[in-house]
Amino acid sequence: MDIAKLGEFGLIDHLTKGHENKNASTVYGVGDDCAVMHYPDKEVLVTTDMLMEGVHFDLTYIDLQHLGYKSAMVNISDIFAMNGTPRQMVVSLALSKRFKVEDIDEFYKGLRMACDKWGVDIVGGDTTSSYTGLAISITCIGEANKEDIVYRSGAKETDLICVTGDLGGAYMGLQLLEREKAVYYGQVEDIRKKIAEAKRDGDTAKVSALNEELANMRNFQPDFAGKEYLLQRQLQPEARGDIIAKLREAGIRPTAMMDISDGLSSELMHICEQSHCGCRVYEKNIPIDYQTAVMAEEFNMNLTTCAMNGGEDYELLFTVPIGDHAKIEEMEGVKQIGYITQENLGKFLITRDGQEFELKAQGWNPLKD
Amino acid sequence: MDIAKLGEFGLIDHLTKGHENKNASTVYGVGDDCAVMHYPDKEVLVTTDMLMEGVHFDLTYIDLQHLGYKSAMVNISDIFAMNGTPRQMVVSLALSKRFKVEDIDEFYKGLRMACDKWGVDIVGGDTTSSYTGLAISITCIGEANKEDIVYRSGAKETDLICVTGDLGGAYMGLQLLEREKAVYYGQVEDIRKKIAEAKRDGDTAKVSALNEELANMRNFQPDFAGKEYLLQRQLQPEARGDIIAKLREAGIRPTAMMDISDGLSSELMHICEQSHCGCRVYEKNIPIDYQTAVMAEEFNMNLTTCAMNGGEDYELLFTVPIGDHAKIEEMEGVKQIGYITQENLGKFLITRDGQEFELKAQGWNPLKD
């Protein structure tokens, strides 16, 4: 159905109908000039992210449901990264004419899956048109007790550096998707060339056969066998609220924390700079899934570089006092990768063969080519 | 300077350096995964707006400073429309490559002017690139006492309907800008045609004279004499926090309120639908500036239609108990335009000659052509 037919308010009704707010802090959701919230005993956390078609996502390989899911998760991840609990979300979309109501439904399906997973209410937003691609802007609101909030600036000398899950997978997933996209367009291009030749030769039978072949390319099945995990890392990242809960249960309060969206190297530098300290991280301790390793091999890429600089894993990077070493050691899904030093000792990666390399932020720069 | 040269974090530093947060409710601003706020005694209000180049603004006639100012004001206006006080803002920008650091400085200059006017702290955001135009997404956070919040749903039978300022000016300003843009491109087109002719005739002297004329078109001065107010209405709207303060001083609490962004007709219908009531508004009472009237005459447009359906005035529409009539009567900048009725009596405009016309929302539909 055409979105214009529903209109902005019809679309809002359509998207919100039948959805109840779940949080006591949500006083009033969609339908007025503002959403209203109530946070008498907590600090309010606010984070925002903007995702642009062609820059942050490519609709040739992410469907709208996954895109909705991911858009919500990356914002939810920022609330967890402050040791908070996500509660509300406002969602703005700018849509070009090619989108139908059914497309927005798909997007919202994914969005709601992510929000339902973490108990987040969608309380407002803005829906408008765009002359070009799809633009998504999400603001997520959360809460935390004042004393629980973890900033990037609290790391202290001797603190242990920890990461959750494994790294580099989302980046390898992207490489894989880009490769299959290139394969697909390569094959389409080949068929088109053959059609041109057949036309020149006046071979109408061949032209029609090739046109059929071209039409069948719609059913193109990329070769993802054995690589499902990498796709999932790229297309369906998970915010690590599970680890936040585990840390709380274990009585561990990180001294500094952030989520890994631009790459471990870049995020480590943020923590060190804001905490005025240095660090030593060990290559051998960086958690990497075997599929990531296999794929790096296949692409002839340096695995550690992928894990250090590949973005979008949305794992947590945090530091804890050295006294928590034993507790962290037995915690599933968390790996100790190094320790915090005095600032004047610099920021270094220690390779397997004992060499020291100064950390550089080669993370994704969204403002560069 | 190239934005890529600064990088995302360099740009953030550049934009935030030297700016202190002013509000006690702002605990932590730019620089971590989230901003942190503290609202122990108030309700928290959140509103968001997305502005897309080509859809919401045209950089051929709005400069970046005005655009920044307007982007902030339209969000601040939504907080006032709930009878709240704006406090924080997060600002996301997606920029295509043609923008330089100097452009972003201009945008922020306007943004900060608007924020400083109403004591709003810029506490975060996201800056990224865009393949096409400029996309702006702003979320504004405000506060209100629970008992002070005014929703759209509180209007009661016999309540007076009031509007602030005057209506239709922003819309006429847009018409004026569109006209001058057409004049400009018409002249450019004419010169280009003459150049093509002169080239065909081999008249190189004429070609060079015409090229000079074309270059001088950069200094094109549109004819805005006597119409400055309309331009200001379109390019530099003001959120009516002054009226919110006046109402508070006078001890008046509106029963329903919203800001007029899509046009009076459309907004009246929202209030009536959400309050389950009808209304009668009087054409003769609708406040219109004389420049708006002159311009409508010039464009051969129906003035009342412009005032009822022209958007972007960002004035306040509100209802008050009939007992406040005398107080409102003496309040400068507020006009009583009609009254609320029972729902079954419908929503009507009473023309100067006593005819009744049913209200229709012909306001701007951002999802339509």
Side-chain angles (χ1 to χ4, degrees), chain A residues 49 51 56-58 61-77 89 107 109-115 136 138 170-171 173-174 177 230-239 261 311-314:
Chain A
D49 259 308
L51 301 166
H56 299 90
F57 58 89
D58 182 335
Y61 54 64
I62 188 165
D63 61 278
L64 284 161
Q65 186 178 332
H66 276 99
L67 183 61
Y69 190 88
K70 183 169 174 174
S71 303
M73 272 301 171
V74 305
N75 276 280
I76 289 171
S77 177
M89 190 176 278
F107 182 85
K109 200 166 154 189
L111 197 72
R112 288 207 185 271
M113 274 176 64
C115 285
I136 304 162
I138 292 184
Y171 178 73
L174 181 64
L177 287 161
L230 301 178
L231 291 186
Q232 194 196 320
R233 295 297 286 170
Q234 171 57 224
L235 300 178
Q236 195 180 326
E238 296 291 345
S261 54
E312 295 197 281
D313 286 315
Y314 298 102

Side-chain angles (χ1 to χ4, degrees), chain A residues 31-33 35 37-38 43-44 46-47 50 54 56 97 126 128-129 131-132 137 139 152 258-259 274 366 369, chain B residues 31-33 35 37-38 43-44 46-47 50 54 56 97 126 128-129 131-132 137 139 152 258-259 274 366 369:
Chain A
D32 218 298
D33 295 282
M37 277 146 269
H38 189 52
E43 305 283 274
V44 184
V46 176
T47 181
M50 198 168 205
H56 299 90
K97 287 218 185 85
D126 193 10
T128 188
S129 59
Y131 267 128
T132 50
S137 175
T139 300
R152 298 176 179 178
M258 65 186 297
D259 68 340
Q274 295 192 33
D369 301 276
Chain B
D32 218 298
D33 295 282
M37 277 147 269
H38 189 50
E43 305 283 274
V44 184
V46 176
T47 181
M50 200 168 201
H56 300 90
K97 288 217 184 86
D126 193 13
T128 188
S129 59
Y131 267 128
T132 50
S137 175
T139 300
R152 297 176 181 179
M258 63 186 297
D259 68 340
Q274 296 191 34
D369 300 275

Side-chain angles (χ1 to χ4, degrees), chain B residues 219-233:
Chain B
N219 307 319
F220 175 78
Q221 283 298 337
D223 177 21
F224 293 142
K227 286 152 187 151
E228 294 79 4
Y229 179 69
L230 301 179
L231 291 186
Q232 194 196 321
R233 295 297 285 171

Side-chain angles (χ1 to χ4, degrees), chain A residues 74 107 128 151 160-161 240 247 251 261 265 276 320:
Chain A
V74 305
F107 182 85
T128 188
Y151 293 93
L160 299 169
I161 301 170
R240 300 309 305 263
L247 290 169
S261 54
S265 218
H276 302 290
V320 295

Side-chain angles (χ1 to χ4, degrees), chain B residues 95-285:
Chain B
L95 306 158
S96 60
K97 288 217 184 86
R98 72 180 193 277
F99 294 100
K100 303 285 170 203
V101 173
E102 291 74 13
D103 297 320
I104 310 311
D105 283 340
E106 280 302 296
F107 182 85
Y108 262 76
K109 200 168 154 187
L111 197 72
R112 288 206 184 272
M113 273 176 66
C115 286
D116 288 347
K117 187 162 198 167
W118 294 111
V120 173
D121 294 326
I122 298 173
V123 297
D126 193 13
T127 312
T128 188
S129 59
S130 146
Y131 267 128
T132 50
L134 173 63
I136 305 163
S137 175
I138 292 185
T139 300
C140 190
I141 296 147
E143 63 173 48
N145 292 319
K146 192 182 175 182
E147 61 278 16
D148 291 340
I149 296 180
V150 178
Y151 293 94
R152 297 176 181 179
S153 55
K156 298 266 178 310
E157 201 189 332
T158 76
D159 279 357
L160 299 169
I161 301 171
C162 309
V163 295
T164 62
D166 57 79
L167 300 179
Y171 179 73
M172 292 318 301
L174 181 62
Q175 301 308 311
L176 180 62
L177 287 161
E178 292 279 7
R179 182 180 72 181
E180 294 303 310
K181 185 182 161 184
V183 167
Y184 172 83
Y185 282 110
Q187 290 186 14
V188 166
E189 196 48 37
D190 276 354
I191 300 172
R192 286 207 175 118
K193 268 187 202 153
K194 283 184 197 160
I195 291 175
E197 279 168 25
K199 274 184 179 167
R200 214 169 37 220
D201 302 344
D203 187 345
T204 52
K206 197 170 180 189
V207 169
S208 113
L210 284 164
N211 270 325
E212 197 170 324
E213 201 178 320
L214 190 63
N216 280 334
M217 281 299 288
R218 250 176 285 160
N219 307 319
F220 175 78
Q221 283 298 337
D223 177 21
F224 293 142
K227 286 152 187 151
E228 294 79 4
Y229 179 69
L230 301 179
L231 291 186
Q232 194 196 321
R233 295 297 285 171
Q234 171 58 224
L235 301 177
Q236 197 181 324
E238 295 291 345
R240 299 310 304 262
D242 56 332
I243 300 289
I244 295 296
K246 270 191 196 174
L247 289 170
R248 218 165 278 171
E249 272 166 41
I252 299 172
R253 185 189 172 283
T255 49
M257 182 156 60
M258 63 186 297
D259 68 340
I260 304 177
S261 52
D262 295 343
L264 176 61
S265 218
S266 155
E267 319 302 27
L268 269 172
M269 291 182 72
H270 280 301
I271 285 188
C272 286
E273 273 154 28
Q274 296 191 34
S275 298
H276 303 290
C277 59
C279 70
R280 291 289 178 282
V281 294
Y282 293 87
E283 185 184 19
K284 70 175 165 48
N285 292 349

